[in-house]
């Protein structure tokens, strides 16, 4: 993970404080043969980023703390595996009627359809089921494989993908969720589910972690 990039002067200040802190801003400026005012922004940045602590009448000292990660760094580091939910799957021959019941019982917006060997074959969204339900009285006779979005047209992701990558796919393809899969060679095993809700939870966790 990358941390905030320090410029040359900030790196020098940090070295001085590490070696000789506590030290006043005035003394640091003297050592660098610069004016106190010139290094004020650098000291502010180093303090805000958590590298330095400042105490009145004592001066600056090295905090010894891990530098605070920037929000951008935290965001780039967010992985599917840390935010995914349990996938809810049905088999290809499940009826549309049963799939609707399943969606309500499991309280999810998307079901994944798997073959007899548990490999991903399709996706069922709320609107897929709603569309079929309109003016159709024999929902218990229509198997979901007739109406599902099927492979190879399914957008999926892996546990180690970043949430940013997944969010981009969701927006580009205008879909609410992606199956998280494990490539088994002969097909894709469904191991998780990542939804817009998971992305929203991740967004919120950023605000908690950074006390925003
Ligand atoms: P809804 O249709 O309820 O608005 P979505 O926006 O998720 O829900 O789905 C839109 C369409 O895209 C549906 O026909 C659905 O089958 C399909 N779809 C949903 N998720 C995926 C996915 N991960 N890959 C491919 N198609 C998907």
């Amino acid at each position: 993970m990358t941390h905030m990039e320090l410029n040359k002067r900030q790196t020098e200040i940090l070295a001085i404080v590490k070696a000789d802190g506590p030290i006043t801003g005035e003394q640091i400026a003297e050592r660098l043969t610069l004016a106190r005012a010139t290094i004020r922004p650098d000291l502010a940045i180093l303090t805000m980023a958590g590298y330095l602590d400042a105490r009145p009448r004592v001066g600056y000292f090295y905090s010894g703390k891990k530098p605070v990660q920037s929000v951008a760094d935290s965001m780039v580091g967010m992985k599917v595996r840390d935010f995914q939910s349990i996938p809810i799957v049905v088999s290809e021959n499940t009826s549309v009627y049963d799939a609707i019941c399943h969606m309500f019982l499991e309280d999810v917006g998307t079901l994944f359809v798997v073959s007899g060997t548990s490999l991903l074959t399709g996706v069922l969204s709320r609107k897929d089921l709603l569309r079929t339900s309109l003016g159709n009285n024999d929902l218990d006779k229509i198997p979901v494989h007739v109406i599902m979005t099927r492979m190879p047209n399914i957008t999926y992701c892996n546990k180690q993908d970043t949430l940013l990558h997944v969010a981009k796919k969701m927006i580009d393809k205008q879909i609410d969720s992606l199956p998280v899969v494990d490539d088994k060679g002969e097909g894709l095993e469904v191991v998780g589910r990542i939804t817009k809700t998971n992305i929203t939870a991740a967004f919120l966790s950023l605000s908690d972690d950074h006390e925003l």
Side-chain angles (χ1 to χ4, degrees):
M1 191 133 318
T2 54
H3 293 302
M4 190 185 87
E5 289 269 345
L6 298 182
N7 66 26
K8 184 166 172 288
R9 189 190 293 153
Q10 289 158 359
T11 310
E12 282 171 356
I13 293 173
L14 197 58
I16 292 170
V17 180
K18 259 189 194 173
D20 299 324
I23 180 169
T24 65
E26 196 63 50
Q27 289 167 326
I28 298 170
E30 262 173 41
R31 295 269 292 267
L32 295 169
T33 57
L34 292 168
R36 170 78 179 86
T38 312
I39 65 165
R40 190 166 289 133
D42 298 308
L43 288 169
I45 287 168
L46 289 168
T47 309
M48 280 191 297
Y51 289 96
L52 299 184
D53 274 334
R55 250 183 240 144
R57 290 182 300 279
V58 178
Y60 293 90
F61 55 95
Y62 181 58
S63 69
K65 274 190 302 195
K66 233 178 79 192
V68 173
Q69 221 177 35
S70 74
V71 175
D73 282 344
S74 299
M75 217 163 148
V76 171
M78 289 203 246
K79 294 287 165 63
V80 166
R81 62 166 170 264
D82 300 322
F83 292 93
Q84 68 184 28
S85 304
I86 294 167
I88 306 300
V89 302
V90 294
S91 68
E92 294 178 317
N93 292 320
T94 304
S95 70
V96 170
Y97 183 91
D98 285 344
I100 293 171
C101 293
H102 224 66
M103 198 172 255
F104 275 103
L105 284 173
E106 300 287 352
D107 196 17
V108 291
T110 310
L111 297 170
F112 301 128
V113 184
V114 294
S115 67
T117 50
S118 298
L119 298 174
L120 177 66
T121 59
V123 171
L124 289 166
S125 75
R126 279 179 278 229
K127 268 183 243 150
D128 292 333
L129 296 171
L130 207 50
R131 191 182 304 115
T132 311
S133 308
L134 282 177
N136 224 321
N137 292 323
D138 46 5
L139 297 180
D140 54 336
K141 297 197 181 60
I142 308 170
V144 291
H145 70 79
V146 178
I147 68 155
M148 69 190 189
T149 299
R150 55 179 53 249
M151 284 293 269
N153 300 321
I154 299 179
T155 305
Y156 54 85
C157 65
N158 301 305
K159 269 177 188 273
Q160 62 276 11
D161 285 338
T162 65
L163 282 196
L164 277 178
H165 174 78
V166 166
K168 187 171 182 335
K169 278 187 172 175
M170 282 179 178
I171 296 300
D172 286 352
K173 308 269 181 182
Q174 299 189 317
I175 50 179
D176 292 348
S177 85
L178 267 64
V180 183
V181 302
D182 195 5
D183 196 338
K184 291 286 174 193
E186 75 271 31
L188 304 171
E189 185 188 359
V190 184
V191 296
R193 169 171 64 98
I194 193 105
T195 70
K196 287 181 175 172
T197 304
N198 298 128
I199 306 276
T200 308
F203 180 69
L204 204 57
S205 80
L206 276 180
S207 97
D208 289 344
D209 291 352
H210 291 271
E211 292 171 19
L212 300 177

